Amino acid sequence: MKMKNWMTKLGLTIGAGLLMAACGNGETASEETINIGILQLMDHESLNASREGFLDTLEEAGYVDGENISVDYQNAQGDQSNLQTMSERLSGDSDLILAIATPAAVSLANMDQETPILFTAITDPVDADLVTSLEAPGGNLTGTTDAGPIEEQIELLLSLIPEGGKVGIIYNSSEPNSVIQGDQATAFVEAAGSEVVLKTVSSTNEVQQAMESLAGDVDGVYVPTDNTLASTMATVADVAKANKLPVVTAFSENDTVSGLATYGIDYYELGRQTGEMALEIIENDAEPATMAVESSDNLKLIINEEMAEAIGIDPATIVVPK
């Protein structure tokens, strides 16, 4: 793998430098720079927090961009053609790559079967064909999953609406992880005896109309970890306020939530967890093929008190159902 080659090269470089210094020529060894590529699907708070947590963990361990590592950060801005071009660039120049969100990881996996690739903010890496199994990935990819407690999130939403009320679920139908979560959420809602009204979108331009349609037909809305919806939560929030509609999301943004509430993971901490996996590869020559995919157990309830006030709900009444 490329990382093994880099580790061998680094060892030889340092060894040769020390040998020359011992011979009295006055030269000292220089560290080999580690090239780290980052491919992020789009710009929104959860994905940004994952990246920041990853880089902060590396820096705290002594790996600083511009000193002993070189970070090439690429953001596709949600454009599939950008993902392909950026994947080509990073796979050719990187010793280690971080993929943020499923489409970024899939693009890299299709391009590069050698470079160690870590992923984060991915709900189901097995369904996305990124790994053989969570316990034994089997290839050059592993990382962290943001699979959240969907059942608890649905229970939270149901506790905020009238018994038997209708639940709207909205997501981008072209995001495989969103479809999986949508199906799971639907099953939990129906098992609780409530009706689901499903709305799917294909782009950010459709979110407002879809939300307005839901607002006239449901008592509450659930938003899974969908990148399109996460990047347009301001629009979702505006419609929710105007219609006094509780919205529970599967994601938070740096200890805030644009909907009413969420019970889920901390994306910054998930990024830090992925950074620890990167250190295992860099320092201990760990193989992604045998590094189990990790999930976060750092779950928390986050309440948007401003939203609660706007739609007439007392924040003190919002609790995670037992």
Side-chain angles (χ1 to χ4, degrees):
M1 299 179 75
K2 287 188 177 182
M3 184 56 73
K4 278 195 168 183
N5 294 336
W6 171 81
M7 292 292 287
T8 301
K9 181 172 65 174
L10 176 56
L12 292 172
T13 301
I14 293 177
L18 291 173
L19 179 61
M20 287 189 290
C23 292
N25 60 10
E27 294 184 25
T28 59
S30 61
E31 285 192 2
E32 186 77 17
T33 298
I34 308 170
N35 296 313
I36 296 179
I38 298 178
L39 180 58
Q40 184 170 321
L41 173 62
M42 61 172 60
D43 209 30
H44 71 67
E45 292 295 335
S46 297
L47 303 188
N48 293 344
S50 297
R51 184 184 75 251
E52 291 162 6
F54 177 84
L55 292 174
D56 284 352
T57 298
L58 292 185
E59 185 170 344
E60 289 168 13
Y63 298 94
V64 181
D65 188 22
E67 295 182 12
N68 52 357
I69 65 172
S70 176
V71 177
D72 187 352
Y73 168 57
Q74 299 291 311
N75 190 318
Q77 301 299 339
D79 189 316
Q80 189 66 42
S81 62
N82 288 343
L83 283 176
Q84 182 171 348
T85 301
M86 292 171 180
S87 295
E88 290 175 356
R89 166 176 170 153
L90 294 178
S91 64
D93 296 335
S94 304
D95 299 303
L96 173 70
I97 305 175
L98 172 67
I100 306 177
T102 302
V106 169
S107 179
L108 283 166
N110 290 336
M111 189 71 59
D112 191 331
Q113 289 79 51
E114 294 186 6
T115 306
I117 299 172
L118 290 170
F119 52 72
T120 191
I122 289 179
T123 304
D124 192 339
V126 176
D127 185 77
D129 292 327
L130 296 173
V131 297
T132 302
S133 72
L134 298 181
E135 298 77 16
N140 63 315
L141 286 88
T142 188
T144 56
T145 171
D146 65 356
I150 296 177
E151 184 173 10
E152 287 86 349
Q153 291 163 354
I154 292 299
E155 289 176 353
L156 175 60
L157 178 57
L158 291 175
S159 73
L160 299 169
I161 66 175
E163 186 174 353
K166 290 184 180 180
V167 173
I169 300 176
I170 181 172
Y171 58 84
N172 186 335
S173 56
S174 66
E175 292 192 29
N177 285 335
S178 301
V179 176
I180 292 169
Q181 293 174 83
D183 290 344
Q184 292 173 343
T186 296
F188 289 130
V189 172
E190 292 178 343
S194 293
E195 180 181 343
V196 171
V197 178
L198 186 65
K199 285 290 181 182
T200 62
V201 299
S202 59
S203 71
T204 56
N205 296 330
E206 299 174 7
V207 171
Q208 182 167 349
Q209 182 177 354
M211 274 298 299
E212 289 174 346
S213 175
L214 279 177
D217 195 28
V218 301
D219 301 289
V221 173
Y222 177 71
V223 181
T225 55
D226 180 281
N227 293 297
T228 301
L229 270 296
S231 65
T232 54
M233 278 307 296
T235 299
V236 173
D238 286 344
V239 175
K241 286 180 181 178
N243 292 274
K244 297 191 180 302
L245 190 69
V247 174
V248 168
T249 67
F251 53 87
S252 63
E253 310 90 30
N254 292 342
D255 289 329
T256 65
V257 60
S258 297
L260 172 62
T262 186
Y263 179 64
I265 69 169
D266 183 321
Y267 278 86
Y268 176 80
E269 291 299 327
L270 192 69
R272 290 187 64 88
Q273 197 170 337
T274 317
E276 293 291 343
M277 297 180 75
L279 293 176
E280 284 296 312
I281 294 173
I282 294 170
E283 298 180 346
N284 299 322
D285 206 18
E287 295 270 5
T290 57
M291 297 174 70
V293 174
E294 298 182 11
S295 58
S296 175
D297 57 6
N298 185 17
L299 302 176
K300 59 184 180 180
L301 174 65
I302 303 175
I303 300 168
N304 183 340
E305 295 190 2
E306 179 185 347
M307 176 65 77
E309 181 180 354
I311 66 174
I313 291 179
D314 181 356
T317 65
I318 303 175
V319 297
V320 179
K322 301 297 184 183

